[in-house]
Amino acid sequence: MEQSKKFISPGAWFSMAYPASWNEFEGGEESFLFYNPDKWTGNFRISAYRGEHASYGSESVDRELKDNPSAVKVKIGSMECAYSKETFMEGDVEYTAHFWVVGMEDIAFECSYTADADHSVAEARDVIASLEVRQPHVKYPAELIPVRLSEIYQIDEAFEWMSSMIKDQLKKDFQGVEADIENMQKIIDSDVIPLKKREAWLSVGVVLCVILTNEVDGLEWQTLIDGNREAPVLLNKTTGDWIDPMKLVWSKVKAGEQVNLAETYATLM
């Protein structure tokens, strides 16, 4: 595979490597979609299902081979898979949808790759070969991975929440720039955010980081996977240092410390 990125699923069920040219897009409920937005080569979609017993994965492969007359058994890496394909026309272009059912321990994966009919499936097979089941009883090292859609949604929701708070409480617009920090501080000082409302305070920290990305070059959102914690953090691509929004505000509130957003922001510049 070309230079790759790592994806760890929400809930940290599994991980996989995918081409660096691909990004994650909205895939629907319980499905993750990846493709190259600059030069489309195909859509890769993956869903994962956990069974109640250790043989659920292999049983899912056997069931697909039994129920789907066009499915054949293939091997990708060390994994036995059920593979089938279907060719269809869209306008004047012929496409092929490739479909794999992959079983690993108590998890079954359904993977599809839809591309031009004559396009190689090597990229998709490499992604499937990289699949790893993450064990729930194992303590994995903390990792930063490219920001997932789930964390992008969290960032967007935090921004919209702060924008609404300022509009409702102060009757002012919110642009997400440094000048808005003064109004954010007014919201904090007005005590409209309950001290124990953790998610709200986390959102304040996230929005402070959004402002930072709008004002400073070289910063990039990443997803932190650390045990049960999955959260957006800000990576400095030049230094490799990263900023945890949780520590900017919520950690101070929880410790009973005063929150001064202007001072906090100044330390980040």
Side-chain angles (χ1 to χ4, degrees):
M1 190 188 297
E2 63 179 78
Q3 186 179 0
S4 64
K5 302 174 184 174
K6 186 171 186 178
F7 177 78
I8 300 176
S9 67
W13 287 20
F14 69 91
S15 67
M16 68 182 196
Y18 61 100
S21 59
W22 291 7
N23 289 338
E24 183 190 1
F25 294 88
E26 179 61 59
E29 189 175 357
E30 297 183 353
S31 180
F32 308 100
L33 171 66
F34 300 84
Y35 60 83
N36 184 339
D38 298 319
K39 183 181 179 181
W40 188 82
T41 56
N43 289 348
F44 181 85
R45 191 183 301 270
I46 182 168
S47 301
Y49 306 94
R50 172 168 276 148
E52 296 181 354
H53 46 84
S55 58
Y56 177 77
S58 60
E59 290 173 0
S60 297
V61 174
D62 292 340
R63 189 183 317 91
E64 177 69 10
L65 290 169
K66 179 181 177 182
D67 295 344
N68 184 351
S70 65
V72 295
K73 183 178 287 188
V74 298
K75 198 164 186 177
I76 298 180
S78 60
M79 296 176 291
E80 298 285 352
C81 313
Y83 168 73
S84 58
K85 65 180 179 178
E86 177 183 353
T87 299
F88 62 94
M89 297 294 295
E90 202 168 275
D92 296 329
V93 182
E94 186 178 38
Y95 296 94
T96 300
H98 306 266
F99 185 72
W100 296 264
V101 174
V102 185
M104 297 178 69
E105 303 176 24
D106 62 342
I107 296 182
F109 297 95
E110 293 182 356
C111 306
S112 67
Y113 186 64
T114 303
D116 292 343
D118 58 353
H119 189 76
S120 168
V121 298
E123 285 182 321
R125 287 178 60 92
D126 286 345
V127 175
I128 294 170
S130 75
L131 282 168
E132 292 184 7
V133 172
R134 289 169 63 94
Q135 304 299 331
H137 59 277
V138 174
K139 173 61 177 175
Y140 293 91
E143 292 186 69
L144 293 182
I145 62 172
V147 65
R148 304 178 306 195
L149 276 185
S150 50
E151 281 66 51
I152 291 174
Y153 294 153
Q154 184 179 339
I155 295 165
D156 291 344
E157 287 169 5
F159 189 92
E160 290 302 318
W161 170 80
M162 179 57 71
S163 180
S164 295
M165 286 286 285
I166 288 176
K167 186 172 184 178
D168 293 343
Q169 298 293 322
L170 305 178
K171 311 303 179 186
K172 295 184 178 181
D173 291 331
F174 184 76
Q175 304 296 328
V177 295
E178 187 174 353
D180 290 316
I181 294 175
E182 180 181 352
N183 287 332
M184 291 173 63
Q185 187 67 48
K186 289 178 181 178
I187 294 294
I188 290 174
D189 294 341
S190 68
D191 295 330
V192 295
I193 306 175
L195 289 177
K196 294 184 178 180
K197 197 169 182 180
R198 178 178 181 271
E199 291 305 316
W201 292 108
L202 286 174
S203 292
V204 176
V206 168
V207 174
L208 199 62
C209 286
V210 170
I211 293 174
L212 193 65
T213 63
N214 290 336
E215 302 285 355
V216 179
D217 293 332
L219 301 176
E220 179 178 85
W221 285 105
Q222 299 268 286
T223 292
L224 169 67
I225 308 293
D226 188 7
N228 292 328
R229 186 170 178 234
E230 303 175 20
V233 298
L234 206 52
L235 175 69
N236 186 317
K237 294 186 291 184
T238 301
T239 66
D241 297 330
W242 51 278
I243 300 166
D244 187 345
M246 182 182 73
K247 296 180 179 179
L248 300 181
V249 180
W250 169 242
S251 293
K252 294 180 180 180
V253 172
K254 188 168 61 172
E257 299 175 7
Q258 188 71 26
V259 175
N260 186 314
L261 295 181
E263 287 183 0
T264 301
Y265 184 80
T267 66
L268 302 176
M269 297 296 287

